[in-house]
Amino acid sequence: MGRTAQISRTDVLAAALELADEAGLESVTMHAVGRRLAVTPMALYRHVGGKDALLDGLVETLLTEVTETAAAAPAPAEPLAPWEPLAPGEPLAPGEPRLVALAYAMRDTARRHPAAFPLLLSRPAVTAAARAARDAVYLGLREAGLPAESVPRAERLVSTAILGFAASEAAGRFAGHDQAVRDADFAELLRWLRLALTTS
Amino acid sequence: MGRTAQISRTDVLAAALELADEAGLESVTMHAVGRRLAVTPMALYRHVGGKDALLDGLVETLLTEVTETAAAAPAPAEPLAPWEPLAPGEPLAPGEPRLVALAYAMRDTARRHPAAFPLLLSRPAVTAAARAARDAVYLGLREAGLPAESVPRAERLVSTAILGFAASEAAGRFAGHDQAVRDADFAELLRWLRLALTTS
DNA sequence: ACCTGAACACCGTTCAAGT
DNA sequence: ACCTGAACACCGTTCAAGT
């Protein structure tokens, strides 16, 4: 057996995400990541393909965090808390909890990693993690009673709307409004989406 | 009178946008823009503050293009073509034409400048051009009959949804689907938004 | 197999200088 | 006022070499 590897792909991605969290996406540099791992920039190339592949890896990490956060979310009591204050009398489709958990998990991830999060909107998602996230939304939509042929389009629109809001918030596009306003914005967005999904 | 300036802020922004259109956002470089204008990189600093301000200027240019395209759009005949095929029987709120024109103008701008467009989602919009774009949406929402106190929140959500879709499409996030599918996606998104705006 | 070291073309920005 | 020229610290990536 050869020598034990000193750093792994996981180490590289973790270091890159920490750098982004602490100092912004423009600080995520092959040199800086190497520095953080006490290694030459060139040592990274064996574990990630290069700068672009490193950013794709960050997208993968974020998507995994979203799906895992959503999966770990406690099943909300009936009636569902996040929706309830907004429209007390409206019917809740069965299965909606999964979609709600995904939406909140996405926003939570954006809040934890505001600098890296906008990558999700700028890089096409074709990895296994991206497929897993998409499939989770598929499942939620089907559980909510959407006909199978409507699911793919609804997934694209729902994901894009949530992603767009979370990315905007993370990038500071709503910086003029404080958290309470943005919370109400997000709740209203979810109400809009529910309306679209439950109306014929 | 002093010597005539050789380049203007407009020249710099135009050169930068052309570079982005032709070779991607990563090619928009102080050195490269200077090269295109046959000028030293340092000559740009008098007209734009630096790299960041140059990108803010690009955002400004894109927003101006959006509002001007929308303003120049011919008033659609009754019934409104873009909505009509989707839901023939549904009522059209008065004033909706302006919102429809803005939505399509935004998507058109994204198509003309796919590399630069995602900047709109990643940079807070606080310039005069951003205010003008926001005010146009305000006007459309009021014309559509929305109560005044609902307008600001609705503007944030409508703009974010349209922006998120257009940016996703521009960035290639829907690259697996051909134009007809994306057209139908966009039309469905507009239908969702109309539903949200016309339901209590 | 995994990492180092030197090198290259390029980047954003500074400073001082020209006209 | 507007632009040049040299310079600096830094970037992504190459190549060849070490162990």
Side-chain angles (χ1 to χ4, degrees):
Chain A
M1 60 211 250
R3 292 191 290 118
T4 309
Q6 304 187 358
I7 59 172
S8 67
R9 175 181 156 85
T10 305
D11 294 332
V12 174
L13 294 179
L17 189 54
E18 285 167 23
L19 265 172
D21 292 344
E22 293 166 13
L25 199 57
E26 78 279 5
S27 304
V28 178
T29 278
M30 300 300 278
H31 287 249
V33 173
R35 228 175 284 134
R36 178 171 277 250
L37 295 171
V39 115
T40 285
M42 284 316 298
L44 307 178
Y45 280 76
R46 189 163 304 275
H47 304 281
V48 296
K51 179 71 182 294
D52 262 36
L54 188 158
L55 295 180
D56 287 336
L58 244 35
V59 167
E60 218 182 300
T61 304
L62 292 174
L63 285 171
T64 301
E65 186 172 320
V66 168
T67 49
E68 284 178 357
T69 302
E78 298 287 342
L80 297 174
W83 298 105
E84 199 55 25
L86 295 167
E90 299 188 24
L92 291 173
E96 215 174 37
R98 177 173 260 114
L99 289 179
V100 176
L102 278 164
Y104 277 88
M106 188 151 277
R107 192 170 175 229
D108 284 347
T109 299
R111 260 201 274 255
R112 272 192 292 268
H113 311 291
F117 194 84
L119 285 174
L120 287 179
L121 260 174
S122 68
R123 304 184 86 79
V126 289
T127 61
R131 271 193 302 279
R134 196 196 51 203
D135 289 348
V137 178
Y138 275 7
L139 188 57
L141 289 169
R142 282 220 280 238
E143 285 173 348
L146 216 66
E149 75 268 18
S150 305
V151 164
R153 167 153 300 142
E155 185 278 326
R156 291 193 290 276
L157 295 184
V158 168
S159 295
T160 300
I162 305 282
L163 216 55
F165 183 92
S168 292
E169 190 181 18
R173 204 164 73 86
F174 303 141
H177 307 276
D178 55 6
Q179 168 114 8
V181 172
R182 302 195 312 258
D183 285 351
D185 280 6
F186 190 65
E188 175 79 352
L189 173 60
L190 295 187
R191 206 179 66 80
W192 286 18
L193 293 178
R194 177 171 52 163
L195 188 64
L197 292 174
T198 55
T199 303
S200 76
Chain B
M1 59 213 249
R3 292 191 292 119
T4 310
Q6 302 187 357
I7 58 173
S8 67
R9 176 180 155 86
T10 306
D11 293 333
V12 174
L13 294 179
L17 189 54
E18 285 167 22
L19 265 172
D21 292 344
E22 293 166 13
L25 199 57
E26 79 278 6
S27 304
V28 178
T29 279
M30 300 301 276
H31 287 250
V33 173
R35 228 176 284 135
R36 178 172 277 250
L37 294 171
V39 118
T40 285
M42 283 318 296
L44 308 178
Y45 280 77
R46 189 163 303 272
H47 304 282
V48 297
K51 180 69 183 293
D52 262 36
L54 189 157
L55 295 180
D56 287 337
L58 244 34
V59 166
E60 218 182 300
T61 304
L62 291 173
L63 284 171
T64 302
E65 186 171 320
V66 168
T67 48
E68 285 179 355
T69 302
E78 297 287 341
L80 295 175
W83 297 104
E84 200 54 26
L86 295 167
E90 299 187 26
L92 292 172
E96 212 174 40
R98 177 173 261 112
L99 289 178
V100 175
L102 278 165
Y104 277 88
M106 189 152 277
R107 193 171 175 226
D108 283 347
T109 298
R111 261 202 274 257
R112 273 192 290 269
H113 311 292
F117 194 84
L119 286 175
L120 287 179
L121 261 173
S122 67
R123 303 184 87 78
V126 288
T127 62
R131 271 193 302 277
R134 196 196 52 202
D135 288 347
V137 178
Y138 275 7
L139 188 57
L141 290 169
R142 282 221 280 238
E143 285 174 346
L146 216 66
E149 76 269 18
S150 305
V151 164
R153 168 154 298 141
E155 185 279 326
R156 291 193 291 277
L157 295 184
V158 167
S159 295
T160 300
I162 305 281
L163 216 55
F165 183 92
S168 292
E169 189 181 18
R173 204 164 71 89
F174 304 140
H177 307 277
D178 54 8
Q179 166 112 11
V181 172
R182 303 196 311 260
D183 286 350
D185 280 5
F186 190 66
E188 176 79 354
L189 174 60
L190 295 188
R191 205 179 68 79
W192 286 18
L193 293 179
R194 176 171 52 163
L195 189 62
L197 292 174
T198 56
T199 304
S200 77

